[in-house]
């Protein structure tokens, strides 16, 4: 009998994301109840003799299976019809019947987020961004994802006529329905040196797919690894244990306690290789069951750093029991614990680095980069928030606000001033102490940056003299926000010599209206010679800049 791990919100998740999922059969309530009644004694006997914990008489005396399972209160113990059971198995193995698209619901219909490679949808030319507005004449506007999928799915070999809005055009397609399979493992190279492996599920073929992905990436000379288990709700116990062997060798991967209290140790199999380069696992609140077995194993043996948020906390094992009516009872039979005996059920696995408010994948990339590369990446909008949260999370002794946030991104730059009540349509006058080569002044050498997001505010520059320039934002600043006016040391004087040292001026905007007219005569002070101010990290005191007093004239 195969052991399963229930995938949190499995049917709901795949209904929302994959049109290739066959929905639960819409059998009538009366017919289903009659069918259930025939096997009620079988279900009662299984619960009484093989459920993981003692079952009360109140549960066992329920008049129907539905009521019995409701009283039991275990969301992971479920009755499946034969078709529902097949749907479940197919979903774990990433094999579905349909047209082969990932979807998102919009008010006007079904948006195609992506098209499964080799699917009927790809063959007829459906594209990401298409909006399916009707299927076989039925409007999909305003429907839920479950309702919409009902009109798009159907028996294998049948077809559906769909109307698709693509930009300003409406196109008609006839799409066949058939079984579509997707790999449970995807691999790619990130940043030229990281082997990125995304595990969507723990299916029958997942260990083989995992090994194949690792070998292919290893040939591309990666030096570190990211294993992404976010939103992976589990799958087969054996698959998780098999994959653990690639990290922990032939050690105990998980401990399972049966209904009698006996603890069984499950050892990972010997694998042809083990990964010993820097490894990061990504988890979130939807990483469950088999994902938690693998994650807890690598954490216990200190084979990887866990980054993200705490996992779901499903520490129970389910087994499928066939019933005489063709249905299947998926029932909790055991509890499991980490390799070192740590509780998982209703607790989860705690990450080593907690990343909540930004993309944990971005944080992992930064962690695996060398210091200078990480700092260069951090300054870009894509990684700005992840770097901020990463440093704030890992620097337990000194928080960013205690030593100036800008130094996270520009550690060698000097803070010139911190100005409050900056108008939303402010112009900024910058004065250098020497004549400037204006070809060296552009939006990469003088930047206006939103300190929270890293967004660069587009600016233009107007020269006011040999040493003065006005920075003109192309749009109003956001109210009650903080910006940094950053002058980089790549600005050059007329002799071609670069200025020494960068500076940051911190600007806090007002909460006022952005509709006020811009005052062309407004100025935010000027720069003075370096000899009149202290400097850090400056090799040549003859060049540089400093903001004296940022107040309106």
């Amino acid at each position: 009998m195969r052991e399963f791990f229930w995938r949190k919100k499995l049917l709901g998740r795949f209904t929302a994301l994959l049109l290739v999922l066959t929905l639960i059969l819409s059998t009538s309530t009366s017919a289903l109840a009659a069918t259930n009644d025939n096997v009620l004694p079988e279900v009662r006997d299984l619960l009484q003799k093989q459920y993981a914990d003692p079952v009360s008489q109140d549960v066992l005396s329920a008049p129907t299976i539905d009521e019995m399972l409701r009283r039991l209160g275990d969301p992971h113990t479920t009755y499946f019809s034969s078709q529902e059971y097949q749907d479940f198995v197919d979903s774990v193995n990433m094999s579905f019947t349909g047209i082969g698209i990932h979807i998102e619901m919009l008010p006007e219909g079904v948006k195609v987020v992506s098209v499964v490679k080799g699917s009927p949808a790809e063959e007829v030319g459906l594209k990401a961004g298409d909006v399916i507005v009707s299927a076989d004449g039925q409007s999909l506007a305003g429907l839920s994802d479950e309702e919409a999928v009902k009109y798009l799915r159907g028996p294998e070999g049948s077809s559906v006529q769909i109307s698709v809005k693509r930009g300003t055009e409406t196109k008609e397609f006839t799409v066949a329905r058939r079984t579509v399979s997707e790999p449970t493992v995807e691999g790619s190279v990130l940043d030229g040196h990281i082997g990125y492996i995304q595990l969507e599920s723990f299916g029958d073929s997942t260990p083989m797919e995992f090994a194949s992905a690792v070998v292919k990436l290893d040939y591309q000379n990666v030096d570190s690894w990211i294993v992404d288990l976010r939103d992976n709700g589990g799958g087969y116990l054996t698959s998780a244990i098999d994959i653990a062997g690639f990290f922990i060798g032939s050690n105990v991967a998980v401990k399972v306690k049966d209904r009698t209290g006996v603890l069984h140790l499950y050892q990972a199999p010997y694998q042809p290789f083990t990964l010993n380069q820097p490894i990061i696992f990504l988890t979130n609140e939807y990483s469950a069951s088999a994902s938690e077995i693998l994650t807890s194993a690598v954490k216990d043996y200190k084979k990887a750093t866990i980054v993200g948020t705490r996992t779901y906390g499903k520490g129970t094992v389910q087994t499928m029991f066939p019933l005489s009516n063709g249905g299947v009872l998926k029932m909790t039979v055991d509890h499991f614990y980490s390799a070192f005996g740590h509780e998982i059920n209703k607790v989860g696995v705690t990450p080593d680095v907690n990343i909540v408010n930004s993309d944990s994948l971005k944080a992992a990339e930064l962690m695996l980069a060398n210091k200078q590369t990480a700092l260069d990446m951090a300054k870009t909008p894509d990684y700005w928030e992840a770097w901020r949260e990463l440093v704030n999370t890992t620097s337990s002794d000194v928080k960013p606000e205690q030593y100036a946030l800008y130094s996270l991104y520009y550690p060698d730059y000097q803070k010139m001033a911190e100005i409050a009540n900056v108008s939303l349509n402010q112009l900024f006058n910058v004065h250098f102490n020497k004549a400037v080569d204006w070809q060296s002044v552009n939006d990469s050498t003088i930047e206006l940056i939103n300190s929270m997001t890293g967004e660069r505010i587009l600016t233009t520059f107007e020269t006011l003299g040999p040493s003065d320039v006005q920075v003109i934002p192309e749009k109003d600043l956001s109210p009650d926000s903080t910006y940094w006016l950053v002058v980089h040391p790549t600005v050059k004087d007329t002799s071609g010599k670069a200025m020494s040292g960068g500076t940051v001026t911190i600007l806090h905007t007002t909460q006022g209206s952005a509709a006020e007219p811009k005052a062309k005569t407004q100025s935010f002070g000027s720069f003075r010679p370096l000899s009149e101010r202290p400097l850090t990290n400056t090799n040549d005191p003859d060049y540089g800049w400093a903001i004296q007093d940022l107040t309106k004239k």
Side-chain angles (χ1 to χ4, degrees):
M1 194 67 62
R2 186 181 294 280
E3 292 170 317
F4 287 78
F5 291 90
W6 180 240
R7 310 187 70 192
K8 176 174 170 37
K9 298 182 180 177
L10 178 74
L11 294 178
R13 176 182 170 220
F14 279 99
T15 298
L17 298 181
L18 302 174
L19 276 182
V20 289
L21 173 65
T22 303
L23 292 179
I24 295 175
L25 294 180
S26 56
T27 310
S28 69
T29 303
S30 58
L32 182 59
T35 303
N36 284 354
D37 287 343
N38 294 335
V39 294
L40 179 60
E42 298 176 43
V43 173
R44 180 183 293 117
D45 188 62
L46 287 169
L47 288 174
Q48 187 173 21
K49 295 180 179 179
Q50 300 199 51
Y51 189 73
D53 302 305
V55 178
S56 71
Q57 190 59 40
D58 177 63
V59 173
L60 297 174
S61 63
T64 66
I65 291 178
D66 288 344
E67 179 61 18
M68 189 178 292
L69 299 184
R70 188 192 68 79
R71 293 182 187 182
L72 182 67
D74 178 1
H76 309 300
T77 296
T78 308
Y79 173 83
F80 287 150
S81 69
S82 59
Q83 183 60 56
E84 290 168 352
Y85 168 66
Q86 188 59 52
D87 292 342
F88 171 77
V89 174
D90 287 345
S91 68
V92 172
N93 290 319
M94 301 288 287
S95 177
F96 312 95
T97 300
I99 65 174
I101 59 176
H102 300 258
I103 71 168
E104 175 186 340
M105 297 308 301
L106 298 178
E108 61 268 35
V110 175
K111 179 181 178 181
V112 179
V113 176
S114 61
V115 179
V116 177
K117 187 176 181 180
S119 68
E122 182 185 56
E123 291 169 1
V124 301
L126 283 179
K127 299 179 179 179
D130 287 347
V131 177
I132 304 173
V133 295
S134 70
D136 285 337
Q138 170 65 45
S139 172
L140 303 182
L143 299 184
S144 67
D145 47 14
E146 292 89 352
E147 292 170 328
V149 170
K150 181 173 64 175
Y151 293 105
L152 291 163
R153 61 166 294 274
E156 183 164 2
S158 64
S159 298
V160 58
Q161 181 76 27
I162 59 175
S163 294
V164 174
K165 184 178 179 181
R166 180 179 295 170
T168 59
E169 296 182 276
T170 299
K171 296 178 175 290
E172 301 293 327
F173 296 92
T174 299
V175 192
R177 301 179 177 109
R178 68 167 181 259
T179 300
V180 179
S181 296
E182 291 191 278
T184 61
V185 179
E186 295 280 358
S188 60
V189 177
L190 298 181
D191 308 327
H193 71 103
I194 301 171
Y196 172 71
I197 298 180
Q198 184 176 27
L199 275 72
E200 291 283 359
S201 176
F202 288 85
D204 279 323
S205 62
T206 304
M208 181 178 63
E209 291 178 31
F210 178 85
S212 177
V214 169
V215 170
K216 288 179 181 178
L217 293 173
D218 188 56
Y219 275 118
Q220 299 180 60
N221 298 317
V222 300
D223 60 14
S224 51
W225 302 87
I226 295 175
V227 179
D228 195 342
L229 292 176
R230 292 175 298 176
D231 299 324
N232 183 328
Y236 298 131
L237 168 65
T238 52
S239 291
I241 295 174
D242 286 351
I243 294 175
F246 291 104
F247 298 93
I248 67 173
S250 55
N251 289 303
V252 172
V254 64
K255 295 180 178 180
V256 178
K257 184 170 68 175
D258 63 24
R259 62 182 277 126
T260 67
V262 175
L263 201 62
H264 304 271
L265 307 185
Y266 284 74
Q267 191 172 350
Y270 174 80
Q271 298 292 6
F273 61 85
T274 55
L275 293 172
N276 54 16
Q277 295 167 302
I279 302 168
I280 290 177
F281 270 55
L282 302 182
T283 62
N284 65 7
E285 64 271 28
Y286 299 117
S287 304
S289 298
S291 289
E292 293 174 289
I293 286 180
L294 180 57
T295 301
S296 65
V298 298
K299 183 176 182 180
D300 278 358
Y301 290 100
K302 300 186 184 303
K303 297 298 183 180
T305 300
I306 316 303
V307 176
T309 57
R310 185 189 297 269
T311 62
Y312 176 67
K314 180 192 168 294
T316 58
V317 182
Q318 284 70 45
T319 293
M320 297 295 186
F321 294 92
L323 303 173
S324 61
N325 68 343
V328 174
L329 180 68
K330 179 176 66 70
M331 187 177 73
T332 299
V333 294
D334 295 314
H335 296 274
F336 71 81
Y337 305 85
S338 80
F340 290 2
H342 298 127
E343 182 73 65
I344 291 176
N345 199 45
K346 300 182 180 179
V347 175
V349 181
T350 304
D352 301 302
V353 179
N354 200 41
I355 300 295
V356 178
N357 301 313
S358 57
D359 186 349
S360 57
L361 175 57
K362 300 295 186 186
E365 291 178 69
L366 291 165
M367 292 171 67
L368 293 174
N370 64 52
K371 183 177 180 180
Q372 186 56 54
T373 300
L375 192 57
D376 291 341
M377 294 166 65
K379 294 173 185 176
T380 65
D382 283 348
Y383 294 89
W384 189 274
E385 294 180 69
W387 175 257
R388 179 174 184 164
E389 184 172 11
L390 178 63
V391 176
N392 193 25
T393 299
T394 56
S395 301
S396 57
D397 296 330
V398 181
K399 300 299 182 183
E401 56 267 26
Q402 294 176 297
Y403 61 82
L405 182 60
Y406 75 86
S407 64
L408 299 182
Y409 303 89
Y410 304 100
D412 297 329
Y413 285 33
Q414 183 177 10
K415 175 184 173 183
M416 304 313 301
E418 187 164 355
I419 311 303
N421 298 321
V422 174
S423 298
L424 305 186
N425 50 15
Q426 186 67 59
L427 308 180
F428 306 93
N429 288 353
V430 178
H431 172 76
F432 294 88
N433 64 305
K434 283 201 171 185
V436 174
D437 174 9
W438 295 118
Q439 290 187 344
S440 70
V441 174
N442 51 54
D443 56 10
S444 64
T445 57
I446 299 180
E447 294 184 297
L448 186 59
I449 304 172
N450 184 313
S451 70
M452 287 296 296
T453 65
E455 177 194 7
R456 269 56 174 184
I457 308 304
L458 293 177
T459 56
T460 57
F461 302 90
E462 182 178 338
T463 58
L464 305 176
S467 305
D468 297 271
V469 64
Q470 188 170 77
V471 181
I472 307 169
E474 293 191 0
K475 69 175 184 179
D476 289 327
L477 306 183
S478 299
D480 196 24
S481 299
T482 298
Y483 292 84
W484 298 338
L485 181 60
V486 181
V487 182
H488 297 287
T490 46
V491 175
K492 298 179 181 179
D493 66 12
T494 52
S495 69
K497 191 169 186 179
M499 299 293 181
S500 55
T503 65
V504 177
T505 302
I506 301 174
L507 310 166
H508 302 287
T509 60
T510 66
Q511 298 183 10
S513 170
E516 302 169 1
K518 288 187 177 182
K520 295 181 180 179
T521 59
Q522 286 182 328
S523 173
F524 266 54
S526 61
F527 289 84
R528 57 182 173 172
L530 290 176
S531 59
E532 298 180 20
R533 64 173 175 90
L535 282 177
T536 58
N537 302 308
T538 301
N539 298 321
D540 187 345
D542 293 332
Y543 298 96
W545 51 86
I547 293 180
Q548 183 178 21
D549 183 15
L550 296 189
T551 56
K552 292 182 182 179
K553 289 184 178 179

